[in-house]
Amino acid sequence: MTSTDQALDPEALKLFSFNVFSQLSGAVTAGMIHIGDQLGLYRTLAASEGMTSSNIAHASNLSERWVREWCANQVAARIVVAEYSYGANENAERTDDISIYKLTPEAVAVLADENLPAFGMGMFHRLPATFDRLKDLPESFRTGVGFDYDAHGPDGAVGIERSFEPWSNAFLVSLVLPTMTGIVEKLKAGISVVDIGCGAGSAVLLMAQHFPKSTFIGVDISDHALARASEKLALSGLNNVSFMNAKTAALPNESSVDFVTTFDCIHDMTQPQKMIEDIYRMLKEDGSWLLVDIKAGNTLQENVKKNPMAALMYGISVLSCMASALSDHNGEGLGTLGLPSLLAEEFAHRAGFSSFRQLDISHSVNAFYEIQK
């Protein structure tokens, strides 16, 4: 039976249409957030106590009319706050040009200050590159084969870097590593560390800076990310870090590494079980692995019920994470929410690891595990 064979409920139709077009509204507003980030509009607003669209345009060397319309979207989406020139009387004569626009302190933290862990512009940075993959998806749906992260171009790598670096800079060394068994002491004394899926190198460079007696290798398969990592290494002046491309160089030798880290990458891999086996192989007998991956439930029902960002996560999976995990014909295709703790523990034990412990770290997206050989 099709919908044309049934009497439509006008109220249900209205609510369903509202829901559908609310999704479109969010997508369009996400584009406006990207523009605001790229043009520095949030940083301009953050540096003031309130500005008119003319002030914003002048400070940014932009066209006022375009800025004013952008501000209107941001106010309607409850991202930017407006103080209307006409006060409480909405019917008074007015021009939107003399409304005052401002950011709350919370908005500054998310939109404008890259030094704060809540900063969230990374995913918006890579939004055009991510959405550009929509043209490839019909073929992926037909063939089952996706595309790797380099398909998103250099901005894809920078977007990932900007997504994870603020929180990592604030908490990796001060909060995460101290919760692991003896790792900080070992790092201070000097051990060998491998960061697999290192991306642009943010985490590995941070650890290398804090633990100069240890040696670090960052491993990835993204040419764009590794190019960015090399640039950052050159600027850092560190001599205890190197980067390698796993497509052209072999992973470290058996039983040669003390500590392995993987940050939000196992679920993206075409062969996650094999990678976990490789991690087990390269670790020394007393070696440890810090697995950081997306916090996920065991079922669709659990994710939808408990995760308010489930729709976003599943959509990003199709556009990016699962597409990477299916970028060859033998890909396992875990996807963004594809590595819940039960499966991660099963993979670890299957590879030979004896100990699996979830760390007591609160994070809106990620779960943290200490896994020992």
Side-chain angles (χ1 to χ4, degrees):
M1 180 180 291
T2 66
S3 60
T4 56
D5 299 319
Q6 308 173 59
L8 294 176
D9 181 332
E11 285 303 311
L13 179 61
K14 184 187 301 182
L15 289 172
F16 184 82
S17 296
F18 176 78
N19 179 46
V20 168
F21 283 95
S22 292
Q23 314 308 317
L24 179 59
S25 173
V28 171
T29 297
M32 296 300 99
I33 293 172
H34 168 79
I35 290 294
D37 176 55
Q38 293 297 295
L39 294 177
L41 295 172
Y42 296 123
R43 292 187 292 277
T44 297
L45 281 168
S48 76
E49 294 184 359
M51 305 176 77
T52 66
S53 56
S54 292
N55 296 149
I56 298 168
H58 178 75
S60 307
N61 196 27
L62 299 171
S63 165
E64 185 278 331
R65 182 65 188 93
W66 288 76
V67 170
R68 186 174 6 129
E69 203 75 355
W70 176 85
C71 286
N73 163 269
Q74 297 288 282
V75 171
R78 296 176 175 82
I79 296 167
V80 171
V81 175
E83 291 182 357
Y84 301 109
S85 59
Y86 48 87
N89 183 3
E90 295 188 5
N91 296 316
E93 290 294 324
R94 63 192 184 274
T95 61
D96 288 338
D97 182 41
I98 56 173
S99 296
I100 303 297
Y101 303 100
K102 59 177 62 177
L103 296 179
T104 65
E106 294 75 20
V108 171
V110 174
L111 301 169
D113 193 339
E114 298 198 31
N115 295 314
L116 294 179
F119 182 74
M121 291 297 95
M123 292 301 291
F124 295 93
H125 182 104
R126 65 193 294 261
L127 188 68
T130 302
F131 273 13
D132 196 42
R133 301 278 64 77
L134 288 170
K135 66 177 186 290
D136 301 322
L137 284 178
E139 187 65 13
S140 292
F141 272 73
R142 295 184 187 102
T143 65
V145 180
F147 36 83
D148 64 20
Y149 269 87
D150 275 355
H152 299 279
D155 272 343
V158 174
I160 294 293
E161 176 187 3
R162 293 184 76 204
S163 293
F164 294 104
E165 190 173 75
W167 195 93
S168 180
N169 284 347
F171 296 117
L172 175 58
V173 172
S174 64
L175 174 65
V176 179
L177 296 180
T179 64
M180 301 189 70
T181 307
I183 282 296
V184 171
E185 290 75 16
K186 290 180 179 179
L187 287 165
K188 287 179 178 178
I191 56 174
S192 60
V193 182
V194 174
D195 181 28
I196 294 174
C198 66
S202 301
V204 72
L205 289 169
L206 179 69
M207 290 189 289
Q209 178 186 354
H210 279 83
F211 304 106
K213 292 184 179 180
S214 292
T215 57
F216 297 82
I217 300 174
V219 180
D220 212 291
I221 60 171
S222 166
D223 294 330
H224 296 310
L226 288 169
R228 175 70 178 139
S230 296
E231 292 173 5
K232 294 171 71 173
L233 175 59
L235 291 172
S236 74
L238 294 169
N239 58 13
N240 59 336
V241 184
S242 61
F243 292 101
M244 58 166 281
N245 191 324
K247 293 186 295 186
T248 58
L251 291 172
N253 295 329
E254 183 175 349
S255 302
S256 64
V257 177
D258 296 286
F259 182 39
V260 171
T261 58
T262 58
F263 298 97
D264 292 285
C265 63
I266 295 295
H267 70 270
D268 296 314
M269 296 183 179
T270 57
Q271 300 294 322
Q273 180 67 66
K274 182 180 183 304
M275 176 52 70
I276 293 170
E277 291 167 0
D278 286 340
I279 291 170
Y280 180 85
R281 175 190 57 76
M282 73 177 72
L283 279 172
K284 296 177 182 178
E285 281 306 312
D286 61 346
S288 298
W289 169 28
L290 171 62
L291 166 61
V292 182
D293 218 285
I294 306 297
K295 191 186 305 180
N298 294 303
T299 64
L300 169 63
Q301 183 179 22
E302 186 178 349
N303 283 321
V304 171
K305 182 178 180 179
K306 295 184 177 181
N307 189 343
M309 294 191 294
L312 171 64
M313 295 291 192
Y314 283 119
I316 287 294
S317 190
V318 173
L319 287 161
S320 185
C321 300
M322 189 190 73
S324 171
L326 291 173
S327 57
D328 67 41
H329 286 282
N330 298 314
E332 295 178 23
L334 291 184
T336 306
L337 293 172
L339 192 64
S341 59
L342 287 178
L343 184 59
E345 185 170 8
E346 179 185 329
F347 279 174
H349 288 316
R350 194 185 301 167
F353 286 97
S354 62
S355 173
F356 183 99
R357 177 172 72 96
Q358 184 162 351
L359 302 177
D360 185 18
I361 295 171
S362 177
H363 191 278
S364 59
V365 174
N366 284 333
F368 298 74
Y369 309 98
E370 179 183 45
I371 304 171
Q372 295 179 315
K373 197 167 181 179

